[in-house]
Amino acid sequence: LERDAIFRKKLNIHVSGSNVPSPLQSFAELKSRYKCKSYILRNLAELGFKEPTPIQRQAIPVLLSGRECFACAPTGSGKTFAFVCPILMRLKRASDVGVRAVFLCPTRELAAQTARECKKLARGKKFRIKLMTKQLVKGADFSKLPCDILISTPFRVQFAVRKRKLDLSKVEFLVLDESDKLFELGLVKQVDSVVKACSNPKILRSLFSATLPDTVEDLARTIMHDAVRVIIGRKNS
Ligand code: ADP
Ligand code: MG
């Protein structure tokens, strides 16, 4: 659509892929277009968020349309909510089927921060959002723990899977957050084994990054299917 193209250009949103959904004009559109539950809009208002950031405007509709998303936007541009919001919407409510979403973050600090942000947006709903801590890894059978969203470094998830304490075969959403840093820190092998352990053929993967080195582009090409690529601003700024 012409209107979408003009709007994207104004906000420096670059997209590639087939049938890219229209960017959000406002958070209110989450309700009018995607029937978002009111708890999310209430939480956004409480956080004082008035407008979606450019990455949120484009990545949220992509994930809500059931498309994989390969996104690059500068640090501090709101990438966390760009995947937390649509994934909470698609999970709908807490369920006991097992781990349903996994967010991989490069460091324990980033994982803890992501868990905090995720809980802020989920307030008022009974989602079980778990940060993979050392105690949790050491604990008995993690697979019996009710968990909708598991947030962790790749190392801890991979370790728990290897010890057969964690079953990822039901995972519907996998996010590789700050994926450029996952590479810088040499975590590719661990990421790979988590990607493999998430064996549900209907999984929706997404990759968020602040920069786009070739390593990240290559990973996106190998693990994603019919992804929409969203870049805010310039590729490596
Ligand atoms: P990134 O992952 O791109 O580095 P974050 O997701 O950590 O960025 O977000 C950076 C900050 O911006 C956080 O404090 C977050 O709460 C805030 N933020 C996110 N979305 C919005 C928004 N739509 N309006 C205002 N602030 C926002
Ligand atoms: Mg981030």
mmCIF file of all heavy atoms in Angstrom, residues 27 44 47-53 55-56 73-83 113 117 120 177-178 210, ligand 1:
data_model
loop_
_atom_site.group_PDB
_atom_site.id
_atom_site.type_symbol
_atom_site.label_atom_id
_atom_site.label_comp_id
_atom_site.label_asym_id
_atom_site.label_seq_id
_atom_site.Cartn_x
_atom_site.Cartn_y
_atom_site.Cartn_z
ATOM 1 N N PHE A 27 -1.112 2.561 19.471
ATOM 2 C CA PHE A 27 -1.365 1.385 20.312
ATOM 3 C C PHE A 27 -2.850 1.008 20.261
ATOM 4 O O PHE A 27 -3.188 -0.175 20.390
ATOM 5 C CB PHE A 27 -0.931 1.641 21.757
ATOM 6 C CG PHE A 27 0.552 1.485 21.992
ATOM 7 C CD1 PHE A 27 1.273 2.458 22.679
ATOM 8 C CD2 PHE A 27 1.231 0.349 21.551
ATOM 9 C CE1 PHE A 27 2.645 2.305 22.910
ATOM 10 C CE2 PHE A 27 2.596 0.190 21.773
ATOM 11 C CZ PHE A 27 3.299 1.176 22.463
ATOM 12 N N LEU A 44 0.245 -0.628 29.210
ATOM 13 C CA LEU A 44 1.000 0.339 28.400
ATOM 14 C C LEU A 44 0.732 1.757 28.901
ATOM 15 O O LEU A 44 1.651 2.569 29.034
ATOM 16 C CB LEU A 44 0.621 0.227 26.921
ATOM 17 C CG LEU A 44 1.147 -1.008 26.175
ATOM 18 C CD1 LEU A 44 0.470 -1.132 24.804
ATOM 19 C CD2 LEU A 44 2.667 -0.943 26.014
ATOM 20 N N LEU A 47 2.477 2.369 32.140
ATOM 21 C CA LEU A 47 3.917 2.578 31.936
ATOM 22 C C LEU A 47 4.197 3.956 31.333
ATOM 23 O O LEU A 47 5.344 4.370 31.231
ATOM 24 C CB LEU A 47 4.470 1.489 31.007
ATOM 25 C CG LEU A 47 4.631 0.095 31.620
ATOM 26 C CD1 LEU A 47 4.776 -0.954 30.527
ATOM 27 C CD2 LEU A 47 5.841 0.073 32.550
ATOM 28 N N GLY A 48 3.143 4.634 30.898
ATOM 29 C CA GLY A 48 3.305 5.961 30.307
ATOM 30 C C GLY A 48 3.697 5.926 28.840
ATOM 31 O O GLY A 48 4.169 6.919 28.289
ATOM 32 N N PHE A 49 3.495 4.782 28.172
ATOM 33 C CA PHE A 49 3.840 4.678 26.757
ATOM 34 C C PHE A 49 2.693 5.228 25.910
ATOM 35 O O PHE A 49 1.597 4.697 25.932
ATOM 36 C CB PHE A 49 4.092 3.221 26.349
ATOM 37 C CG PHE A 49 5.280 2.588 27.001
ATOM 38 C CD1 PHE A 49 5.619 1.280 26.710
ATOM 39 C CD2 PHE A 49 6.073 3.303 27.890
ATOM 40 C CE1 PHE A 49 6.725 0.684 27.317
ATOM 41 C CE2 PHE A 49 7.179 2.715 28.499
ATOM 42 C CZ PHE A 49 7.494 1.397 28.210
ATOM 43 N N LYS A 50 2.971 6.282 25.165
ATOM 44 C CA LYS A 50 1.909 6.923 24.389
ATOM 45 C C LYS A 50 1.865 6.410 22.960
ATOM 46 O O LYS A 50 0.795 6.210 22.398
ATOM 47 C CB LYS A 50 2.099 8.439 24.429
ATOM 48 C CG LYS A 50 1.996 8.942 25.877
ATOM 49 C CD LYS A 50 1.725 10.413 25.983
ATOM 50 C CE LYS A 50 1.283 10.785 27.390
ATOM 51 N NZ LYS A 50 2.154 10.230 28.476
ATOM 52 N N GLU A 51 3.029 6.237 22.376
ATOM 53 C CA GLU A 51 3.115 5.825 20.973
ATOM 54 C C GLU A 51 4.029 4.611 20.868
ATOM 55 O O GLU A 51 5.012 4.524 21.592
ATOM 56 C CB GLU A 51 3.791 6.936 20.152
ATOM 57 C CG GLU A 51 3.063 8.251 20.121
ATOM 58 C CD GLU A 51 2.049 8.294 19.011
ATOM 59 O OE1 GLU A 51 2.128 7.433 18.097
ATOM 60 O OE2 GLU A 51 1.170 9.183 19.051
ATOM 61 N N PRO A 52 3.738 3.718 19.928
ATOM 62 C CA PRO A 52 4.713 2.644 19.700
ATOM 63 C C PRO A 52 5.985 3.229 19.077
ATOM 64 O O PRO A 52 5.913 4.210 18.340
ATOM 65 C CB PRO A 52 4.014 1.709 18.719
ATOM 66 C CG PRO A 52 2.759 2.374 18.275
ATOM 67 C CD PRO A 52 2.566 3.624 19.055
ATOM 68 N N THR A 53 7.134 2.643 19.368
ATOM 69 C CA THR A 53 8.373 3.065 18.717
ATOM 70 C C THR A 53 8.367 2.464 17.296
ATOM 71 O O THR A 53 7.586 1.548 17.022
ATOM 72 C CB THR A 53 9.603 2.560 19.497
ATOM 73 O OG1 THR A 53 9.606 1.122 19.450
ATOM 74 C CG2 THR A 53 9.580 3.027 20.950
ATOM 75 N N ILE A 55 10.214 0.313 15.723
ATOM 76 C CA ILE A 55 10.355 -1.153 15.636
ATOM 77 C C ILE A 55 9.082 -1.833 16.135
ATOM 78 O O ILE A 55 8.641 -2.847 15.570
ATOM 79 C CB ILE A 55 11.633 -1.669 16.369
ATOM 80 C CG1 ILE A 55 11.876 -3.149 16.083
ATOM 81 C CG2 ILE A 55 11.584 -1.451 17.876
ATOM 82 C CD1 ILE A 55 12.130 -3.486 14.638
ATOM 83 N N GLN A 56 8.449 -1.268 17.156
ATOM 84 C CA GLN A 56 7.188 -1.830 17.651
ATOM 85 C C GLN A 56 6.079 -1.682 16.608
ATOM 86 O O GLN A 56 5.281 -2.597 16.410
ATOM 87 C CB GLN A 56 6.780 -1.137 18.961
ATOM 88 C CG GLN A 56 7.736 -1.465 20.116
ATOM 89 C CD GLN A 56 7.588 -0.546 21.314
ATOM 90 O OE1 GLN A 56 6.815 0.416 21.298
ATOM 91 N NE2 GLN A 56 8.357 -0.817 22.360
ATOM 92 N N ALA A 73 17.175 -2.861 15.139
ATOM 93 C CA ALA A 73 16.886 -1.483 15.542
ATOM 94 C C ALA A 73 17.864 -1.104 16.644
ATOM 95 O O ALA A 73 18.310 -1.959 17.411
ATOM 96 C CB ALA A 73 15.444 -1.369 16.034
ATOM 97 N N PRO A 74 18.197 0.206 16.731
ATOM 98 C CA PRO A 74 19.235 0.623 17.684
ATOM 99 C C PRO A 74 18.911 0.268 19.137
ATOM 100 O O PRO A 74 17.751 0.079 19.495
ATOM 101 C CB PRO A 74 19.275 2.139 17.520
ATOM 102 C CG PRO A 74 18.586 2.441 16.244
ATOM 103 C CD PRO A 74 17.653 1.323 15.964
ATOM 104 N N THR A 75 19.946 0.212 19.951
ATOM 105 C CA THR A 75 19.803 -0.008 21.394
ATOM 106 C C THR A 75 18.908 1.086 21.976
ATOM 107 O O THR A 75 19.036 2.247 21.613
ATOM 108 C CB THR A 75 21.203 0.037 22.045
ATOM 109 O OG1 THR A 75 21.995 -0.975 21.419
ATOM 110 C CG2 THR A 75 21.137 -0.221 23.535
ATOM 111 N N GLY A 76 18.006 0.690 22.833
ATOM 112 C CA GLY A 76 17.124 1.647 23.500
ATOM 113 C C GLY A 76 15.890 2.008 22.691
ATOM 114 O O GLY A 76 15.150 2.919 23.053
ATOM 115 N N SER A 77 15.642 1.285 21.599
ATOM 116 C CA SER A 77 14.514 1.656 20.739
ATOM 117 C C SER A 77 13.258 0.817 21.001
ATOM 118 O O SER A 77 12.328 0.833 20.210
ATOM 119 C CB SER A 77 14.929 1.591 19.265
ATOM 120 O OG SER A 77 15.197 0.259 18.893
ATOM 121 N N GLY A 78 13.248 0.069 22.090
ATOM 122 C CA GLY A 78 12.017 -0.631 22.475
ATOM 123 C C GLY A 78 11.841 -2.009 21.863
ATOM 124 O O GLY A 78 10.710 -2.465 21.666
ATOM 125 N N LYS A 79 12.936 -2.698 21.602
ATOM 126 C CA LYS A 79 12.824 -4.028 20.977
ATOM 127 C C LYS A 79 12.128 -5.049 21.892
ATOM 128 O O LYS A 79 11.419 -5.920 21.413
ATOM 129 C CB LYS A 79 14.210 -4.547 20.555
ATOM 130 C CG LYS A 79 14.812 -3.734 19.404
ATOM 131 C CD LYS A 79 16.036 -4.396 18.800
ATOM 132 C CE LYS A 79 17.274 -4.301 19.685
ATOM 133 N NZ LYS A 79 17.751 -2.902 19.890
ATOM 134 N N THR A 80 12.333 -4.923 23.210
ATOM 135 C CA THR A 80 11.738 -5.924 24.116
ATOM 136 C C THR A 80 10.212 -6.002 23.942
ATOM 137 O O THR A 80 9.660 -7.080 23.718
ATOM 138 C CB THR A 80 12.075 -5.597 25.585
ATOM 139 O OG1 THR A 80 13.477 -5.330 25.671
ATOM 140 C CG2 THR A 80 11.719 -6.755 26.502
ATOM 141 N N PHE A 81 9.533 -4.851 24.028
ATOM 142 C CA PHE A 81 8.079 -4.881 23.890
ATOM 143 C C PHE A 81 7.653 -5.245 22.470
ATOM 144 O O PHE A 81 6.530 -5.706 22.267
ATOM 145 C CB PHE A 81 7.447 -3.561 24.319
ATOM 146 C CG PHE A 81 7.378 -3.415 25.822
ATOM 147 C CD1 PHE A 81 7.978 -2.358 26.471
ATOM 148 C CD2 PHE A 81 6.722 -4.370 26.580
ATOM 149 C CE1 PHE A 81 7.944 -2.248 27.851
ATOM 150 C CE2 PHE A 81 6.668 -4.276 27.961
ATOM 151 C CZ PHE A 81 7.274 -3.203 28.598
ATOM 152 N N ALA A 82 8.543 -5.049 21.492
ATOM 153 C CA ALA A 82 8.202 -5.405 20.106
ATOM 154 C C ALA A 82 7.954 -6.907 19.961
ATOM 155 O O ALA A 82 7.220 -7.331 19.084
ATOM 156 C CB ALA A 82 9.303 -4.941 19.151
ATOM 157 N N PHE A 83 8.576 -7.734 20.837
ATOM 158 C CA PHE A 83 8.217 -9.155 20.788
ATOM 159 C C PHE A 83 7.358 -9.590 21.966
ATOM 160 O O PHE A 83 6.507 -10.473 21.822
ATOM 161 C CB PHE A 83 9.442 -10.072 20.605
ATOM 162 C CG PHE A 83 10.523 -9.984 21.659
ATOM 163 C CD1 PHE A 83 10.425 -10.704 22.835
ATOM 164 C CD2 PHE A 83 11.643 -9.189 21.458
ATOM 165 C CE1 PHE A 83 11.433 -10.642 23.809
ATOM 166 C CE2 PHE A 83 12.651 -9.107 22.416
ATOM 167 C CZ PHE A 83 12.555 -9.827 23.589
ATOM 168 N N GLN A 113 16.478 -8.387 33.094
ATOM 169 C CA GLN A 113 15.809 -7.157 32.670
ATOM 170 C C GLN A 113 14.614 -7.471 31.767
ATOM 171 O O GLN A 113 13.541 -6.890 31.913
ATOM 172 C CB GLN A 113 16.839 -6.311 31.917
ATOM 173 C CG GLN A 113 16.449 -4.889 31.646
ATOM 174 C CD GLN A 113 17.497 -4.213 30.759
ATOM 175 O OE1 GLN A 113 18.705 -4.389 30.968
ATOM 176 N NE2 GLN A 113 17.048 -3.474 29.763
ATOM 177 N N GLU A 117 10.583 -6.592 32.325
ATOM 178 C CA GLU A 117 9.761 -5.880 31.337
ATOM 179 C C GLU A 117 8.546 -6.711 30.955
ATOM 180 O O GLU A 117 7.431 -6.214 30.832
ATOM 181 C CB GLU A 117 10.583 -5.589 30.068
ATOM 182 C CG GLU A 117 11.770 -4.667 30.281
ATOM 183 C CD GLU A 117 11.395 -3.205 30.127
ATOM 184 O OE1 GLU A 117 11.052 -2.787 29.014
ATOM 185 O OE2 GLU A 117 11.436 -2.482 31.145
ATOM 186 N N LYS A 120 5.911 -6.634 33.542
ATOM 187 C CA LYS A 120 5.196 -5.345 33.567
ATOM 188 C C LYS A 120 4.057 -5.348 32.563
ATOM 189 O O LYS A 120 2.976 -4.860 32.830
ATOM 190 C CB LYS A 120 6.156 -4.199 33.221
ATOM 191 C CG LYS A 120 7.089 -3.785 34.336
ATOM 192 C CD LYS A 120 7.930 -2.598 33.862
ATOM 193 C CE LYS A 120 9.147 -2.421 34.750
ATOM 194 N NZ LYS A 120 10.161 -1.559 34.092
ATOM 195 N N ASP A 177 17.180 -12.739 21.340
ATOM 196 C CA ASP A 177 17.260 -11.299 21.558
ATOM 197 C C ASP A 177 18.725 -10.859 21.562
ATOM 198 O O ASP A 177 19.596 -11.611 21.978
ATOM 199 C CB ASP A 177 16.574 -10.939 22.885
ATOM 200 C CG ASP A 177 16.376 -9.442 23.042
ATOM 201 O OD1 ASP A 177 16.364 -8.720 22.010
ATOM 202 O OD2 ASP A 177 16.223 -8.983 24.186
ATOM 203 N N GLU A 178 18.954 -9.636 21.132
ATOM 204 C CA GLU A 178 20.324 -9.083 21.063
ATOM 205 C C GLU A 178 21.237 -10.100 20.392
ATOM 206 O O GLU A 178 22.304 -10.448 20.923
ATOM 207 C CB GLU A 178 20.823 -8.734 22.476
ATOM 208 C CG GLU A 178 19.870 -7.868 23.306
ATOM 209 C CD GLU A 178 19.775 -6.415 22.844
ATOM 210 O OE1 GLU A 178 20.614 -5.982 22.014
ATOM 211 O OE2 GLU A 178 18.859 -5.710 23.298
ATOM 212 N N ALA A 210 20.745 -5.251 17.489
ATOM 213 C CA ALA A 210 21.022 -3.821 17.353
ATOM 214 C C ALA A 210 21.839 -3.539 16.099
ATOM 215 O O ALA A 210 21.794 -2.445 15.550
ATOM 216 C CB ALA A 210 21.743 -3.310 18.589
HETATM 217 P P1 ADP B 1 16.248 -2.195 23.178
HETATM 218 O O1 ADP B 1 16.018 -3.644 23.463
HETATM 219 O O2 ADP B 1 15.874 -1.811 21.778
HETATM 220 O O3 ADP B 1 17.636 -1.761 23.525
HETATM 221 P P2 ADP B 1 14.367 -1.770 25.323
HETATM 222 O O4 ADP B 1 13.306 -2.688 24.884
HETATM 223 O O5 ADP B 1 15.232 -2.216 26.443
HETATM 224 O O6 ADP B 1 15.282 -1.315 24.100
HETATM 225 O O7 ADP B 1 13.655 -0.377 25.686
HETATM 226 C C1 ADP B 1 14.372 0.749 26.102
HETATM 227 C C2 ADP B 1 13.511 1.592 27.063
HETATM 228 O O8 ADP B 1 12.412 2.175 26.365
HETATM 229 C C3 ADP B 1 12.917 0.779 28.191
HETATM 230 O O9 ADP B 1 13.054 1.512 29.382
HETATM 231 C C4 ADP B 1 11.465 0.656 27.818
HETATM 232 O O10 ADP B 1 10.635 0.513 28.948
HETATM 233 C C5 ADP B 1 11.204 1.939 27.059
HETATM 234 N N1 ADP B 1 10.119 1.842 26.045
HETATM 235 C C6 ADP B 1 9.818 0.760 25.277
HETATM 236 N N2 ADP B 1 8.784 1.015 24.457
HETATM 237 C C7 ADP B 1 8.410 2.301 24.691
HETATM 238 C C8 ADP B 1 7.379 3.155 24.147
HETATM 239 N N3 ADP B 1 6.554 2.740 23.194
HETATM 240 N N4 ADP B 1 7.284 4.420 24.639
HETATM 241 C C9 ADP B 1 8.134 4.860 25.612
HETATM 242 N N5 ADP B 1 9.120 4.094 26.158
HETATM 243 C C10 ADP B 1 9.268 2.830 25.718
#
